[in-house]
């Protein structure tokens, strides 16, 4: 009886073997504005900029690359402010979009999310496979923002559309990273009706009568025009004329 039982199990097992299917997605040519270097930010300055090199006083801080149409923005940084320079102030992340043309440019925010490590999405270790039907399983802030983007979520505090007047800038993002060390991950899918430049920046909160306030657009423009890249960088950028 035992050989037949084993044979029966083998036959049944073969009859229900798993089917391997390819993922439905494909690689595409969508440009990603990827602000992740340096990951740990101790001071104020430019994190990533596609602005023209003659825009400010630090040409090495800008890539001179115009953006248009569909592109994504990913920003992930850890706040670990210099104790002397920061003076217990909060580090903010800002993303500026600038319209260099003579016509208004419309930016549609198709999906967008932003989360802190603490308290939104602490880093944890998950099993290799976990059901996530409701999108409530994640292993950190990057995992959680991707969770939302795959579901087409746009958080309530993100605008659905921005209209940028000619030769003007707007703030797409202006968010703090409180209680360091802490991290924030941001992911957005956008579509622009015309050419624009983008920059991610780091700045401490502004003190007004002893009370800390979020930086204003003009504060971020000052950072973009006058401050250099935040260093040291984690990775050497790939030259635009020699893609790898």
């Amino acid at each position: 009886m035992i050989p037949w039982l084993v044979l029966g199990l083998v036959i049944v097992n073969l009859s229900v073997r798993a089917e391997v299917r390819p993922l439905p997605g494909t690689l595409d040519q969508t440009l990603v504005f990827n602000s992740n270097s340096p990951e740990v930010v101790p001071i104020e300055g430019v994190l990533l900029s596609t602005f023209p090199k003659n825009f400010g006083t630090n040409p090495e801080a800008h890539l001179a690359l115009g953006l248009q149409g569909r592109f994504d923005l990913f920003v992930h940084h850890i706040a670990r402010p210099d104790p002397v320079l920061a003076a217990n102030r909060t580090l903010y992340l800002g993303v500026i979009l600038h319209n260099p043309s003579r016509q208004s440019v419309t930016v549609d925010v198709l999906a967008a999310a932003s989360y802190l490590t603490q308290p939104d999405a602490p880093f944890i270790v998950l099993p290799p496979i976990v059901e996530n039907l409701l999108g409530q399983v994640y292993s950190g802030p990057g995992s959680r923002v991707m969770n939302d983007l795959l579901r087409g979520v746009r958080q309530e505090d993100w605008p659905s559309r921005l209209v940028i007047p000619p030769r003007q800038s707007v703030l797409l993002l202006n968010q703090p990273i409180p209680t360091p060390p802490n991290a924030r991950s941001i992911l957005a899918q956008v579509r622009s009706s015309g050419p624009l430049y983008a920059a991610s920046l780091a700045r401490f909160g502004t003190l007004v009568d002893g009370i800390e306030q979020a930086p204003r657009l003009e504060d971020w423009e000052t950072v973009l025009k006058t401050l250099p890249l935040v260093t040291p960088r984690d990775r050497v950028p790939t030259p635009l004329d020699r893609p790898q």
Side-chain angles (χ1 to χ4, degrees), residues 228-239:
L229 282 170
V230 177
T231 57
R233 312 297 283 185
D234 297 330
R235 298 285 188 274
V236 176
T238 301

Side-chain angles (χ1 to χ4, degrees), residues 16-169:
V16 294
R17 63 179 181 268
E19 181 180 354
V20 178
R21 298 180 181 178
L23 293 172
T26 58
L27 294 176
D28 56 35
Q29 297 298 314
T30 302
L31 191 66
V32 179
F33 178 95
N34 186 71
S35 179
N36 186 223
S37 179
E39 185 174 14
V40 178
V41 181
I43 59 175
E44 298 178 328
V46 177
L47 299 169
L48 180 65
S49 169
T50 73
F51 277 67
K53 292 188 177 296
N54 61 357
F55 188 79
T57 58
N58 297 279
E60 74 285 352
H62 309 292
L63 295 174
L65 178 67
L67 306 173
Q68 187 170 352
R70 263 285 291 118
F71 63 94
D72 296 341
L73 296 106
F74 175 73
V75 181
H76 171 83
H77 293 284
I78 300 170
R80 197 171 293 159
D82 182 288
V84 176
L85 299 176
N88 297 319
R89 287 187 289 165
T90 303
L91 185 75
Y92 280 77
L93 293 179
V95 174
I96 280 183
L97 301 179
H98 178 76
N99 173 13
S101 69
R102 297 181 180 180
Q103 297 180 339
S104 294
V105 169
T106 299
V107 178
D108 291 311
V109 182
L110 309 177
S114 173
Y115 291 106
L116 292 164
T117 302
Q118 302 293 340
D120 301 330
F123 288 110
I124 61 172
V125 177
L126 293 174
I129 299 177
V130 184
E131 283 195 2
N132 194 17
L133 299 178
L134 301 178
Q136 297 177 348
V137 179
Y138 39 82
S139 59
S143 171
R144 191 170 183 182
V145 295
M146 180 56 72
N147 224 327
D148 283 3
L149 266 286
L150 289 173
R151 289 169 167 79
V153 172
R154 186 182 66 249
Q155 290 177 331
E156 292 181 357
D157 53 346
W158 286 81
S160 60
R161 171 171 289 185
L162 292 167
V163 178
I164 311 176
R167 311 289 175 85
Q168 298 294 315
S169 298

